[in-house]
Amino acid sequence: MSFRILTEQTGIFESAVSIGVLKMESGFALIDSGVEDSAVKKALQSIGDGWGAFKAILNTHAHADHIGGNAWSIRNRGVKTYGPEGEAHYIEHPDLEPHFLFGCAPIPELMNKFYCAKASDVHHRLRPGSFELEDRKLNLIDLKGHSPGMLGVITEEGLFHVADAIMPESLVTKHKLMFVHNLGEHLETLERVAGLAASGYLLSHGGYLEKVDTLIDLNRSVLLEVNDLIFTLAAEGAEDTTIHAGLSQRLGMVENPGQYYLNHTAVRAHLKYLKDLGKLDLIWDQGRLLWVPVSA
């Protein structure tokens, strides 16, 4: 874990969940706040006093590992928070994430820092487009797909914080099943990122990279590889839990309860995409809801 200065005005605290740093007229802002209080504390310690006072947090999306330091920062440093308009409610009511994953009142295994951050206010709601943060002129980019309203940030220098739109090679090749909320939208986001010029890229789970063309291709190809595998597992008609089990066996996945429900959401995102393409449909069969191939 270390603070890396990229330009006179922009840096990144590289860690398991990297945090962007924007120098402003009055001090500095963080892009996301990590998974818990200690994450933001370590970032602040690494940044030191050279960039002034800690003034704000700009959240890219509402997942717990990106907002975990918000509450501490508001309470102890008096910072102002900014978040995507479409996900602000999840930041203010983070227990909705485990409800979303489980489908009802969640099990205890989903009520921890990885799935349920501490509640925090969103002082300013953000939309895609031009945005001024004091003297910083930023461009907020629609990156929905991984989550319903994720935003990326392009700075004046052309540095592009892509949040979780792109995963690093180490995670893609190790896990293959990447979390997505809407696969169709996520694939469109990968195309959007590839088409935008940038001088460098800040990945939440991969640190700083100068180029991402090859990595975008890898992300896309593995997403589609998993999608093809899920289609194959539905060839004879199967419930989503059976498809998940088959995928887990094929990929050698070992899942605890929290990971299972996170991954199951991703599996269903793939199934929804296949239904949107007209390749799979749902039928009711003797008390079971089956995913079946659509006849040509």
Side-chain angles (χ1 to χ4, degrees):
M1 295 183 290
S2 62
F3 177 48
R4 183 175 179 182
I5 297 174
L6 302 174
T7 70
E8 291 183 356
Q9 290 187 300
T10 303
I12 182 172
F13 176 68
E14 294 182 312
S15 62
V17 183
S18 294
I19 296 172
V21 186
L22 300 173
K23 190 174 184 180
M24 308 183 300
E25 190 172 26
S26 69
F28 67 89
L30 299 182
I31 300 178
D32 292 330
S33 63
V35 72
E36 58 186 339
D37 297 353
S38 63
V40 75
K41 290 177 184 177
K42 289 175 183 176
L44 296 178
Q45 183 178 20
S46 185
I47 294 166
D49 299 326
W51 284 40
F54 178 27
K55 291 291 187 177
I57 296 172
L58 196 162
N59 288 124
T60 59
H61 61 300
H63 288 170
D65 57 335
H66 293 257
I67 65 171
N70 281 24
W72 180 90
S73 301
I74 294 170
R75 185 174 63 253
N76 292 280
R77 297 300 181 90
V79 304
K80 297 299 180 184
T81 55
Y82 300 75
E85 182 178 59
E87 300 197 23
H89 197 65
Y90 284 86
I91 297 172
E92 295 180 331
H93 303 277
D95 59 313
L96 291 174
E97 182 178 344
H99 278 77
F100 167 81
L101 293 173
F102 196 62
C104 61
I107 56 176
E109 289 87 345
L110 287 170
M111 298 301 293
N112 59 51
K113 65 182 181 182
F114 299 109
Y115 310 105
C116 186
K118 297 173 184 176
S120 60
D121 292 332
V122 178
H123 300 115
H124 304 278
R125 286 158 167 74
L126 303 174
R127 296 179 179 179
S130 299
F131 171 64
E132 293 187 9
L133 186 63
E134 294 190 5
D135 57 322
R136 299 301 303 265
K137 293 178 173 57
L138 309 173
N139 189 14
L140 305 181
I141 307 299
D142 178 3
L143 298 181
K144 63 177 175 287
H146 175 76
S147 71
M150 188 167 70
L151 293 175
V153 181
I154 299 180
T155 70
E156 308 94 324
E157 313 102 319
L159 294 171
F160 192 173
H161 193 300
V162 299
D164 284 357
I166 306 172
M167 291 293 160
E169 182 178 0
S170 59
L171 292 182
V172 173
T173 55
K174 178 181 179 181
H175 298 294
K176 291 206 169 182
L177 180 63
M178 291 172 269
F179 182 85
V180 288
H181 167 263
N182 185 311
L183 179 55
E185 290 180 348
H186 186 66
L187 291 170
E188 291 174 0
T189 280
L190 289 176
E191 292 298 323
R192 188 176 304 114
V193 173
L196 291 169
S199 59
Y201 300 84
L202 289 71
L203 281 62
S204 292
H205 296 282
Y208 175 74
L209 297 173
E210 290 186 355
K211 297 184 180 299
V212 293
D213 295 2
T214 302
L215 190 54
I216 288 174
D217 289 342
L218 176 65
N219 273 249
R220 184 190 301 108
S221 65
V222 171
L223 284 164
L224 295 177
E225 175 190 338
V226 170
N227 197 248
D228 288 343
L229 179 53
I230 287 173
F231 178 71
T232 300
L233 291 167
E236 302 299 324
E239 294 175 279
D240 54 10
T241 53
T242 302
I243 293 168
H244 184 163
L247 185 69
S248 182
Q249 292 168 9
R250 295 283 189 94
L251 299 182
M253 295 158 55
V254 178
E255 303 165 283
N256 61 37
Q259 292 165 337
Y260 176 88
Y261 284 103
L262 185 74
N263 288 335
H264 196 62
T265 301
V267 169
R268 287 182 293 172
H270 278 271
L271 291 168
K272 190 262 186 190
Y273 179 66
L274 288 164
K275 191 175 192 303
D276 289 345
L277 293 178
K279 298 178 72 173
L280 289 181
D281 206 349
L282 286 160
I283 64 168
W284 184 255
D285 179 60
Q286 298 182 7
R288 299 183 302 159
L289 192 62
L290 303 180
W291 290 90
V292 297
V294 174
S295 301

